[in-house]
Amino acid sequence: EVLRESGIEVRIVDPKRVRSFAQSAGRLAKNDAIDAEMIAWFAEIFSEAPGQTHDAAHEKLLALAKARISLVDLKARLQSQNEHAAPRLVQKARERLLKNLVCEIAKLEAAISAQIKATPHLAERAEIIESVPGLAETTSANLVAGMPELGQVSDEIAVALIGAAPYDDDSGNRRGERHIKGGRRWVRNALYMACVGAATLNNPVLKAHYGRLIANGKKPKVAIIACMRKLIVILNTMVARRQKWDPSRYALNSASA
């Protein structure tokens, strides 16, 4: 914020990239001076990357969404612990915590909804995303918070950012298996179950795509990730065009996918 207020362009990058860059240059030691040198060198080498504009409303939404995710994860862990035998006192303590967590999660969800509705450009994105069959308010909020680049980058970058891009592992005549890696795991995890429902129940376009993949011998989880990839490409196009879901348009596209 200080840099931006001073008129200095800011670029936010994955810190693992900078650290890997330093290691590839043989700089195995790490201290503040070395870090500063490596960051400056990294910025010079990869100077074509665009800077990110400051969006206070989005940053607040992102903080709320991540806080909700952390409480939901904590709730899931407590619920799994309750499946095992424990003294009554422990069970009661967990039940009280779970009750409080449900209340706090509801408060965060209300705050997330209010933040989106109070911010026109976020509300427009949410409305576009929620027009897709199978994507409800919670999934929409996670995508609005976690994928602000939707509609502003190429389909390949959008898929990579969410961590659904399959990467090659070939050498000579060897063709290795493709695996997804990297990306924003929390966004991918938040989208996964919604995509399962959309691909198997709620969305005719994704359902047809999923059925074809299964018929061609793809494993269910592989097919779901492929459907997630297709969904992100569709959403990237919809947000870029500021258009809501048009089943005829994407049904035609899915025929050649």
Side-chain angles (χ1 to χ4, degrees), residues 53-235:
T53 58
H54 179 58
D55 186 341
H58 173 263
E59 289 188 4
K60 181 179 178 181
L61 176 64
L62 180 60
L64 290 169
K66 285 189 171 182
R68 178 193 168 276
I69 289 288
S70 66
L71 291 189
V72 169
D73 289 344
L74 178 56
K75 176 172 168 278
R77 288 199 298 272
L78 282 173
Q79 286 174 327
S80 66
Q81 290 172 6
N82 264 356
E83 295 175 356
H84 304 286
R88 187 61 181 163
L89 181 63
V90 175
Q91 291 179 351
K92 286 290 186 182
R94 289 173 181 165
E95 288 170 4
R96 288 193 297 271
L97 285 172
L98 282 169
K99 186 177 179 180
N100 287 334
L101 278 172
V102 169
C103 180
E104 294 303 324
I105 290 170
K107 290 179 182 177
L108 284 174
E109 288 175 346
I112 289 168
S113 179
Q115 179 69 11
I116 291 175
K117 290 177 181 176
T119 312
H121 69 281
L122 300 181
E124 181 185 19
R125 283 171 165 264
E127 193 174 350
I128 291 171
I129 293 170
E130 289 169 30
S131 71
V132 178
L135 301 188
E137 185 175 356
T138 298
T139 304
S140 167
N142 285 326
L143 283 171
V144 172
M147 285 287 292
E149 297 88 353
L150 274 179
Q152 303 175 38
V153 295
S154 69
D155 293 340
E156 292 78 9
I157 291 176
V159 170
L161 284 173
I162 205 168
Y167 289 95
D168 294 352
D169 182 22
D170 300 340
S171 180
N173 294 326
R174 182 184 68 83
R175 179 179 170 84
E177 289 187 356
R178 272 56 179 158
H179 294 281
I180 62 171
K181 62 178 70 176
R184 295 167 190 164
R185 179 179 295 181
W186 75 273
V187 185
R188 183 173 67 251
N189 291 347
L191 182 61
Y192 183 81
M193 289 310 299
C195 195
V196 169
T200 60
L201 297 171
N202 304 316
N203 190 302
V205 173
L206 292 181
K207 191 174 180 180
H209 188 52
Y210 179 79
R212 281 194 300 274
L213 292 169
I214 294 297
N216 289 334
K218 298 295 184 183
K219 295 179 180 179
K221 286 188 177 180
V222 173
I224 290 296
I225 294 298
C227 287
M228 185 185 297
R229 206 154 45 236
K230 184 175 185 64
L231 176 60
I232 289 300
V233 170
I234 290 173
L235 287 172

Side-chain angles (χ1 to χ4, degrees), residues 1-8:
E1 290 178 7
V2 170
L3 290 170
R4 283 167 168 154
E5 288 172 1
S6 301
I8 298 174

Side-chain angles (χ1 to χ4, degrees), residues 16-33:
K16 289 186 293 185
R17 287 186 62 197
V18 182
R19 186 62 196 146
S20 296
F21 176 81
Q23 291 172 336
S24 71
R27 303 302 295 270
L28 303 184
K30 185 182 186 304
N31 57 41
D32 290 347

